[in-house]
Amino acid sequence: MGIEQIAVASKEIDGLLQRYAQELPDRMLRFGVRVLLALVFLLIGIQIIKLVRRIVRRSLKKNNADVGVIQFLDSFIKAALYVLLLFLIASGFGLDAASVVALLGSAGVAIGLAIQGSLSNFAGGVLILLLKPFRVDDYIKVDSDGHEGTVKEIQLFYTKLATPDNHVVIIPNGFLANTNIMNMSTLGERKMDIPVMISYDADIRVAREVLLKVLNEDEAVLKDKDQRVFVQELADSGVQLTVRCWADNENYWECKWRITEQIKYALDEAEISIPYPQMDVHIEQSD
């Protein structure tokens, strides 16, 4: 390349740089306006999404829809509308939505494998709402892991339980749809078995009368249901009794705690001892 050609190329580059420098403020201004409009559109879109969700929730409540259905649909609508809003904003910056959809379609298998856990949870949530093994405010116990509590929310992918000690347990819907669940709220009444150990020296018949009296004096115990005290086991340290009664679901825990405390007081008044765990050791002496 000759000197003249280099000079010409240098002049062209200088010209391009000068034009770019002259156009840069306009470009920055247009980009800034576009960003500002996108932010305004985002804020307006968020308010519209909140309004749509509020209208849908009110409509479902007026039609006495299940609380779990309302929560699930609300989560679904929220996710779908936010995705749509982001696509609209991105299209304002030159993103071709049709190209993105085509790309997602061609990569469907890979995406499906990547989010198969989320899809399973979504399908599990749909099954829970259709089959209704439990509802919001039901008290359930998950057999496989022992978690139990009151159902507070059935969301798009997860269900939230509030435990008796005021912890929140978040369980995937796919797991709940494929495991054993005990629903303590379905029948409205719940049986309680309270173990009580008494000494071998105590009279079982007297102990039974004392314990039955405790049940009869408690207002939360359902009197039309089975009330009994029976020998569960002849254990190493004493006689294992079981106190059985029934209570409404809403009174279950308070009733159980109260009866357990009253049993101790009643046994003390009747001078029936509750033995400590013990073991008799016999030592043989050899000559």
Side-chain angles (χ1 to χ4, degrees):
M1 179 180 295
I3 298 177
E4 295 180 357
Q5 293 176 336
I6 295 176
V8 171
S10 177
K11 290 181 180 179
E12 291 179 353
I13 293 174
D14 290 340
L16 290 173
L17 292 176
Q18 289 177 359
R19 285 197 301 271
Y20 182 79
Q22 292 173 354
E23 295 175 357
L24 182 61
D26 293 336
R27 292 183 178 181
M28 292 296 296
L29 179 61
R30 289 197 296 270
F31 181 77
V33 171
R34 188 176 296 178
V35 171
L36 181 61
L37 291 175
L39 291 175
V40 173
F41 189 76
L42 176 64
L43 295 176
I44 295 175
I46 291 174
Q47 297 302 319
I48 293 175
I49 291 174
K50 290 180 179 179
L51 178 62
V52 171
R53 291 172 59 199
R54 191 179 302 117
I55 293 173
V56 172
R57 287 196 301 266
R58 288 179 179 175
S59 177
L60 292 172
K61 288 179 180 178
K62 287 182 179 179
N63 289 278
N64 297 321
D66 186 76
V67 178
V69 174
I70 296 175
Q71 293 174 349
F72 186 86
L73 289 178
D74 181 60
S75 300
F76 180 79
I77 292 172
K78 177 182 177 181
L81 291 180
Y82 270 109
V83 170
L84 177 61
L85 177 62
L86 292 178
F87 266 107
L88 292 176
I89 293 175
S91 63
F93 286 89
L95 180 66
D96 188 2
S99 301
V100 174
V101 172
L103 179 62
L104 292 177
S106 62
V109 175
I111 295 173
L113 292 174
I115 62 172
Q116 59 181 344
S118 297
L119 293 176
S120 174
N121 291 334
F122 176 79
V126 174
L127 288 175
I128 289 172
L129 293 177
L130 291 177
L131 302 178
K132 297 186 182 347
F134 56 82
R135 302 169 183 264
V136 174
D137 292 332
D138 282 357
Y139 190 93
I140 66 172
K141 181 177 181 181
V142 184
D143 273 354
S144 56
D145 56 12
H147 289 308
E148 61 180 287
T150 303
V151 179
K152 291 300 182 182
E153 294 183 29
I154 303 175
Q155 295 186 345
L156 200 60
F157 301 109
Y158 299 95
T159 293
K160 292 184 179 181
L161 303 183
T163 64
D165 53 351
N166 202 31
H167 291 166
V168 176
V169 180
I170 302 174
I171 305 176
N173 288 335
F175 176 76
L176 288 175
N178 293 281
T179 191
N180 296 327
I181 297 174
M182 289 192 297
N183 191 333
M184 283 72 163
S185 301
T186 302
L187 300 178
E189 300 165 348
R190 189 173 173 185
K191 180 184 70 176
M192 67 178 73
D193 285 343
I194 302 175
V196 178
M197 183 79 74
I198 64 172
S199 171
Y200 274 107
D201 296 332
D203 190 327
I204 296 177
R205 290 167 293 189
V206 174
R208 180 180 288 112
E209 292 178 0
V210 170
L211 297 175
L212 287 174
K213 183 180 178 182
V214 172
L215 297 182
N216 290 328
E217 291 178 350
D218 195 290
E219 296 180 355
V221 174
L222 300 178
K223 303 303 187 292
D224 58 340
K225 291 289 186 178
D226 182 30
Q227 301 176 41
R228 64 172 62 188
V229 177
F230 55 90
V231 177
Q232 182 72 38
E233 180 186 2
L234 300 177
D236 294 334
S237 301
V239 179
Q240 178 72 59
L241 303 179
T242 296
V243 180
R244 175 171 293 175
C245 63
W246 295 74
D248 293 329
N249 284 321
E250 59 268 20
N251 300 324
Y252 177 81
W253 288 109
E254 290 292 338
C255 180
K256 185 174 184 178
W257 298 331
R258 185 171 56 250
I259 288 177
T260 303
E261 181 178 347
Q262 292 301 320
I263 284 174
K264 177 62 170 63
Y265 298 149
L267 292 178
D268 288 344
E269 291 179 2
E271 297 182 352
I272 298 175
S273 62
I274 300 175
Y276 295 100
Q278 59 186 357
M279 179 182 297
D280 294 333
V281 179
H282 301 276
I283 301 175
E284 295 184 358
Q285 294 182 352
S286 57
D287 297 335

